Amino acid sequence: MTEVDLSINAYDYELPQELIAQNPVVPRDSSHLMVVDSLTHHNCIFRDLPDLLQSGDLLVLNNTRVIPARLYGHKTTGARVEILLLKPVKNDCWLALVKPGKRFSNGTTIEFIPNSSNCNYKLQATVLSTDRETGGRFLQFSLPQGISLINLLDQFGHVPFPPYVTDSQALTEQYQTVYGKISGAIAAPTAGLHFTDELLEKLEQKNIRLAFITLHVGLGTFRPVETENITKHDMHYEWIEVSSLVVDKINQTKSQGGRIIAVGTTVVRALEGTALASQKNSSSKKLSISPFSGYTNIFIYPGYKWQIVEGLITNFHLPRSSLLMLVSAMIGRKRLLNLYQEAIAQKYRFYSFGDAMLILPDARIN
C-alpha cells in the first residue's frame, strides 16, 4: 500500500487567478465535466450525465438552501460592522463571524440596516460573548414577538457569495440549487449548481434514481486546514439529516447491484457521517446505515475506508482545503493533483461557479 502523505503542503497547487469562476455558466448544465474512471479520464459536458451513469444507480443530492446570512449594521457610535450568521444556538441567540472583530466587545449593541426603506421592522442584537473555537461572537437578537430571525432575513440579509467571488454579476438565485428546499446553509453545495429541472427529469427517465439528504453547509465545509499535519485539523460540526426513505433507497440500490453516487462533498460527509453514527449506535459489526438527524464533524482524508459512497460529482476545490483532501481519499492525492494540472491546462473554471468532475466508482481506490 502506498504511504499516505499527511502534510498540509502535499495538498497545495498553483491556480491562475483568471481560472477562478466569477459567474456561473448559462444554462447551468452547460459546464464542462471531467469524467474519471479507473485508468483514464475524458472531457464531457455536464448535460451528458445521464449517459455516463448506469440504470439502477442512485444519485444522492443535498437539498439545503442558502440563507441570507450576511448582515450589515452599525454600533451606537455609528461605526459600521458586518456579520455572517453561522448557526442558531437558542432563544434568538446566534453564533456569527464578525468584522471588524475588535469592535465586537461584550455588551455592544448593533443595529442592522434593512434592504429597503419599506421595512416595517427594527433589528438589533447584543454581543454576549466570544466563541473560542471559531473566533466568532454569540449575538442575542431582539425580535418582535412571534417572529424568528429566519423570517426577517429576506428583509435584512444578503446571500453570501464566497470571498474569492469578487467580480460577479450572478443573481442570488444562481447560487442556489434548483432543488434546494430546506433553509439553513451559509454556502451553497456547489456540485449541485450544475443541475437543471430538465436534467433531473432525464436522469429519472433512464432509471437513475434520486434521493435527497440535508447538510446545512457551515464552517465545517469551508474553514481552511491550518495544521501542518492534516490529521490534527478539527472539523466544525454541521447539521445533517438522512431520512429513512434515503436509507431504504441506499439499501435497495446496493441489493440490486446499483451504485451510490454522491453529488458533492457535503453529501459524502452526510452519508459517511451517518454510517459512522450508525456503527456507534449498533452492537453489530455488519456494515449498515440507519436514519440519522444531528451533527457531524467527520473529516475524510487519504487512508479513509469508504462505507457508503462509491462515486462522486464534485467541483474543483481550493488548495490546502479539507474538500481537496476528501476527494484525494477517493482517487489518491497524486492522481487528483495531476488531474487538476490538466484541468488548468485545459482552462477549466474552478471553485463554486466553476466546472465539475465525475469520479466513477471504478476509480475509487478502496
Side-chain angles (χ1 to χ4, degrees):
M1 181 177 176
T2 305
E3 185 176 347
V4 175
D5 195 329
L6 300 174
S7 65
I8 183 64
N9 290 334
Y11 299 87
D12 205 356
Y13 69 92
E14 294 291 331
L15 180 70
Q17 191 78 14
E18 65 269 18
L19 295 186
I20 300 175
Q22 296 298 309
N23 293 285
V25 295
V26 179
R28 293 169 179 253
D29 59 2
S30 62
S31 56
H32 290 288
L33 179 66
M34 180 180 283
V35 182
V36 182
D37 61 23
S38 59
L39 298 174
T40 62
H41 63 275
H42 59 280
N43 302 314
C44 291
I45 301 298
F46 200 87
R47 69 172 70 95
D48 298 329
L49 187 61
D51 297 324
L52 299 168
L53 301 179
Q54 297 175 4
S55 174
D57 284 347
L58 179 66
L59 208 57
V60 186
L61 307 99
N62 183 2
N63 65 4
T64 190
R65 188 169 175 83
V66 186
I67 61 174
R70 180 165 285 133
L71 283 76
Y72 299 96
H74 53 79
K75 296 173 29 177
T76 52
T77 60
R80 294 178 69 86
V81 295
E82 175 186 335
I83 74 164
L84 177 67
L85 298 170
L86 294 183
K87 63 179 180 180
V89 182
K90 59 179 180 179
N91 300 330
D92 299 327
C93 177
W94 283 67
L95 175 61
L97 297 181
V98 299
K99 286 198 314 190
K102 292 181 179 179
R103 293 182 178 174
F104 284 81
S105 55
N106 295 352
T108 299
T109 298
I110 305 156
E111 182 168 333
F112 293 98
I113 303 167
N115 298 332
S116 166
S117 58
N118 297 326
C119 181
N120 296 320
Y121 297 102
K122 186 177 181 180
L123 184 62
Q124 289 185 329
T126 302
V127 179
L128 296 182
S129 60
T130 299
D131 178 48
R132 291 183 179 180
E133 185 181 9
T134 63
R137 302 293 192 277
F138 292 103
L139 303 179
Q140 182 65 56
F141 284 85
S142 301
L143 300 168
Q145 189 170 1
I147 295 180
S148 71
L149 182 58
I150 288 288
N151 298 141
L152 293 180
L153 287 183
D154 283 339
Q155 298 183 57
F156 285 88
H158 305 263
V159 169
F161 284 4
Y164 46 76
V165 176
T166 57
D167 184 23
S168 181
Q169 289 75 52
L171 303 174
T172 56
E173 198 59 29
Q174 291 177 287
Y175 192 56
Q176 305 278 11
T177 63
V178 297
Y179 48 79
K181 291 183 178 180
I182 313 298
S183 294
I186 62 172
T190 54
L193 295 179
H194 305 280
F195 287 86
T196 63
D197 290 325
E198 293 77 13
L199 181 57
L200 293 171
E201 186 176 335
K202 287 179 181 177
L203 287 162
E204 291 190 300
Q205 287 172 355
K206 294 204 68 170
N207 195 36
I208 297 163
R209 296 186 299 167
L210 309 177
F212 296 90
I213 60 87
T214 304
L215 182 146
H216 288 323
V217 185
L219 276 185
T221 293
F222 64 82
R223 195 73 157 183
V225 178
E226 296 176 335
T227 58
E228 287 300 317
N229 183 326
I230 65 172
T231 66
K232 304 299 182 183
H233 174 67
D234 290 326
M235 292 288 286
H236 293 273
Y237 284 88
E238 291 173 312
W239 188 87
I240 63 175
E241 182 169 13
V242 177
S243 68
S244 58
L245 177 60
V246 173
V247 169
D248 288 345
K249 285 187 176 183
I250 288 172
N251 290 333
Q252 185 180 32
T253 299
K254 285 183 172 288
S255 69
Q256 295 175 350
R259 308 172 304 175
I260 311 301
I261 312 294
V263 178
T265 56
T266 61
V267 172
V268 172
R269 295 186 63 237
L271 294 181
E272 297 292 320
T274 295
L276 181 63
S278 300
Q279 291 170 4
K280 287 181 178 179
N281 296 331
S282 173
S283 57
S284 172
K285 294 183 179 180
K286 185 179 178 181
L287 175 62
S288 64
I289 182 172
S290 303
F292 179 75
S293 179
Y295 285 90
T296 185
N297 69 335
I298 188 170
F299 179 23
I300 297 173
Y301 52 83
Y304 178 78
K305 300 301 181 185
W306 295 92
Q307 306 295 313
I308 303 298
V309 176
E310 296 167 276
L312 173 64
I313 297 171
T314 187
N315 280 20
F316 292 87
H317 301 294
L318 275 74
R320 305 165 74 94
S321 65
S322 65
L323 308 182
L324 190 70
M325 294 163 195
L326 183 153
V327 184
S328 295
M330 179 161 278
I331 62 172
R333 178 187 67 86
K334 289 184 177 179
R335 186 179 188 194
L336 181 65
L337 291 178
N338 285 337
L339 291 170
Y340 270 45
Q341 289 307 312
E342 179 150 345
I344 290 170
Q346 295 190 22
K347 306 296 184 184
Y348 269 64
R349 302 164 73 251
F350 277 60
Y351 305 165
S352 294
F353 284 138
D355 296 316
M357 175 185 287
L358 166 63
I359 299 173
L360 293 168
D362 63 358
R364 203 186 75 175
I365 59 178
N366 60 45

